[in-house]
Amino acid sequence: QVQLVESGGGLVLEGASLSVSCVAAGRGFVNYGMGWFRQAPGKEREFVAAVSSSARYTYYADSVKGRFTISRDNAKNTVYLQMNSLKPEDTAVYYCAAKFDDQSLATLSRYDYWGQGTQVTVSS
């Protein structure tokens, strides 16, 4: 069992930067693939970024590629999402998720554990 707790969301202006983090409580973090997803009002939850268990591989949605960076610190059981050049369309609740392996890291339905989410609002 893994509990995920996100933090770091907030309200920023367009073009600003923001970092969100997710701490995992429980065993085996080093074995989990980790992902960030987001859900805007009235929209389905969508993939944002993912990182493999060893941090060797990272994946990004086209909409955030070049602006967002995912990273992890296995010694701290933490995964980060650095968001730069934020746009109003990035406004959403951002969710951290964990899965037992490194397969299909961009697929929402393949994740085993989810956090409660943190709100990110970008004002124009």
Short mmCIF file of all heavy atoms in Angstrom, two decimals, residues 29 46 118 123:
data_model
loop_
_atom_site.label_atom_id
_atom_site.label_comp_id
_atom_site.label_asym_id
_atom_site.label_seq_id
_atom_site.Cartn_x
_atom_site.Cartn_y
_atom_site.Cartn_z
N PHE A 29 9.03 2.49 -2.94
CA PHE A 29 8.95 3.62 -3.87
C PHE A 29 9.93 3.46 -5.02
O PHE A 29 9.61 3.80 -6.16
CB PHE A 29 9.22 4.91 -3.12
CG PHE A 29 9.20 6.14 -3.99
CD1 PHE A 29 8.00 6.71 -4.37
CD2 PHE A 29 10.38 6.73 -4.42
CE1 PHE A 29 7.96 7.84 -5.18
CE2 PHE A 29 10.36 7.86 -5.22
CZ PHE A 29 9.15 8.42 -5.60
N GLU A 46 -6.05 13.89 -17.60
CA GLU A 46 -5.13 13.62 -18.70
C GLU A 46 -3.70 13.48 -18.21
O GLU A 46 -3.31 14.03 -17.18
CB GLU A 46 -5.20 14.75 -19.73
CG GLU A 46 -4.74 16.10 -19.23
CD GLU A 46 -4.73 17.18 -20.31
OE1 GLU A 46 -5.17 16.91 -21.45
OE2 GLU A 46 -4.27 18.30 -20.01
N THR A 118 -3.55 18.53 -6.09
CA THR A 118 -3.25 19.88 -5.67
C THR A 118 -3.65 20.85 -6.78
O THR A 118 -3.39 20.58 -7.96
CB THR A 118 -1.76 20.03 -5.29
OG1 THR A 118 -1.52 21.34 -4.77
CG2 THR A 118 -0.84 19.79 -6.47
N SER A 123 -3.40 32.55 -13.91
CA SER A 123 -4.23 33.69 -14.27
C SER A 123 -3.57 34.49 -15.39
O SER A 123 -2.36 34.71 -15.38
CB SER A 123 -4.44 34.57 -13.05
OG SER A 123 -5.15 35.74 -13.38
#
